[in-house]
Amino acid sequence: MNEETPPPRAPSSSGYTPQASTGATITPRGGMSVTRVLFSLRRWWREDVVGTVDQAEVIERRREDCLMSERYLFMTAMSGGIAVLGLLLSSPAVVIGAMLLSPLMGPIMGLGFALSIGDYNWLKQSAISLAWGTIIAVGLTGALVFMSPIQTITPEIAARTQPNLFDLFVALFSAMAGAYAMIRGREGTIVGVAIATALMPPLATVGFGLATWNWTVFSGSLLLYVTNLITIALTAWGMARLYGFQTNLSARNTAFQNIAIVAVSIALAVPLALSLIRIAEETNAQRITRNEILESFPARALLDDLQITYGEDTISVDATVLTPRLDSEAEADVERTLSQQLQRPVELTLTQYQVGTSASAAEQAQLSARRASEEAAALERAENLATRLALVAGVEEGDVTVDRTRRRATVRAQRLDGATLAAYRALELRIAETEPDWTVELLPPIGELPGEIGWDEEGPTPEGAQALSVIEWAARRIDLPIVLTGPPAQASQAAELLARRGVSVTVREGPGPLSADWGGQ
């Protein structure tokens, strides 16, 4: 018997075709999958991330970092002293060393964690430690600058006087990494955070501005320091809240705290954003100035130098042009045009040098000027290198041998109380890192070699390898042979390593651990 096939049902307006009831409720897949994913993510975060953090241990470690101890005050003072010397010498390596020594990160992070759990006793202790550290750093650096014969604004100082919104983001991302490392127990990351946020150099610059009564330097560097401080503290607060640290605050107090933190963040971002806008305007003004000057001269003219100083009321422009034809009216015309375009009074000093009509003549004149400028810069750099080497070696600047042709600087150091050969080597490396194009040699006095060379079955231990590096460096600098005493196998292997590096070595069999001494004395 033939049965008629029922006609297909028309789809509903929603696009869903009803199906025969099977006794089960059908739920749209999309809604269920999103809910499941969100639930799974929340459970994963709560159980596998937040649940693995020992909050009591983290808080205890952070409390210890906020204590105002003798070590904290001493390291803050030493970090400030190193920072201001690095700024005055314009040495990035020395400034980085000050960043690594600075203990200010501890109480600043403590502020954030104390805010997150509502512990105002801890908050008070962190604020006191931070205040005293700040006062000591500014006072010491200001005193050093006041007594120093060098009080010029170096590039390292100038770089910390114009903070902008980008500096806030640097502090934000660095603080996120630092807070994560502290919460998860990976504190080796703090070294990178200390370098990125650079708390001590701005404080040292504040001391410089105070000692020289330079308001621009003082206010700019203070704003940079406050930016880093507040951003790090608030980021630590946010990370602690994200990781579920228990708070003692009521819901009302928590809401008030959140509003206050948002208000502080906005208040901090506004002047930094204005600073960034000002920098963009100055960059645009430089482009306009360059174009207007070149358009006033023939096509083959070259702009050799352009210096722009932005005053409170006027803009001062000092430019040098290499041109095949001199124009006595150019200075007044360009000054008038720039005043109209920049909408501020402009004082232009335009120096013109007449060169040949060909492009090669202008280029040759420009190359000559560049060579003279580079030669002056190289001479200044060599003199600065000699000054620094004399300082670390404890000798007069005239005792430093500088070969500018071969880019080689050599100095024989005086014996410094308590300084080991490893210390002299570290001083040489520190200077050499700032001058990668130079060969720097600091010749130490004959001193005691490392007493013991660590060794195991696979060869030298990390400490032993470091000792061998010091021995090799000292032997090459002093030009004396080395005597290794110890177990024959270890002594022979160490002698082979040193010999490959050009060191003359004698091996003597003896009891006890492997050691080194000078030979030929």
Side-chain angles (χ1 to χ4, degrees), residues 52-202:
T52 60
V53 175
D54 189 341
Q55 295 187 10
E57 182 183 356
V58 173
I59 291 174
E60 185 62 27
R61 290 203 305 267
R62 299 288 70 78
R63 287 183 189 273
E64 292 177 359
D65 292 341
C66 299
L67 297 177
M68 190 171 62
S69 60
E70 294 180 1
R71 176 189 176 278
Y72 169 78
L73 297 176
F74 177 77
M75 294 301 291
T76 300
M78 295 303 99
S79 175
I82 294 172
V84 76
L85 292 175
L87 294 174
L88 292 174
L89 294 173
S90 197
S91 171
V94 177
V95 174
I96 290 174
M99 299 177 194
L100 297 177
L101 286 178
S102 172
L104 294 176
M105 183 69 71
I108 295 177
M109 284 288 188
L111 288 174
F113 280 92
L115 275 174
S116 68
I117 67 174
D119 189 335
Y120 289 103
N121 288 328
W122 183 11
L123 182 69
K124 180 180 178 181
Q125 177 61 56
S126 299
I128 292 174
S129 297
L130 182 61
W132 276 108
T134 301
I135 292 171
I136 288 175
V138 173
L140 177 63
T141 55
L144 289 174
V145 172
F146 183 77
M147 295 183 295
S148 171
I150 303 175
Q151 295 185 352
T152 56
I153 299 178
T154 63
E156 286 291 325
I157 294 175
R160 291 166 175 86
T161 58
Q162 289 188 318
N164 55 64
L165 201 57
F166 290 157
D167 293 296
L168 186 146
F169 285 116
V170 170
L172 172 65
F173 294 134
S174 302
M176 289 177 66
Y180 171 82
M182 289 180 173
I183 293 172
R184 303 300 299 179
R186 297 174 173 85
E187 312 223 358
T189 311
I190 303 301
V191 173
V193 174
I195 296 175
T197 52
L199 292 166
M200 187 54 71

Side-chain angles (χ1 to χ4, degrees), residues 258-271:
N258 293 342
I259 294 173
I261 287 175
V262 170
V264 170
S265 300
I266 295 174
L268 185 64
V270 168

Side-chain angles (χ1 to χ4, degrees), residues 35 72 99 120 145 164 175 245 259 277 322 353 423 470 475-476:
T35 303
Y72 169 78
M99 299 177 194
Y120 289 103
V145 172
N164 55 64
F245 278 66
I259 294 173
I277 292 173
L322 307 177
Y353 290 104
V470 174
R476 291 167 63 91

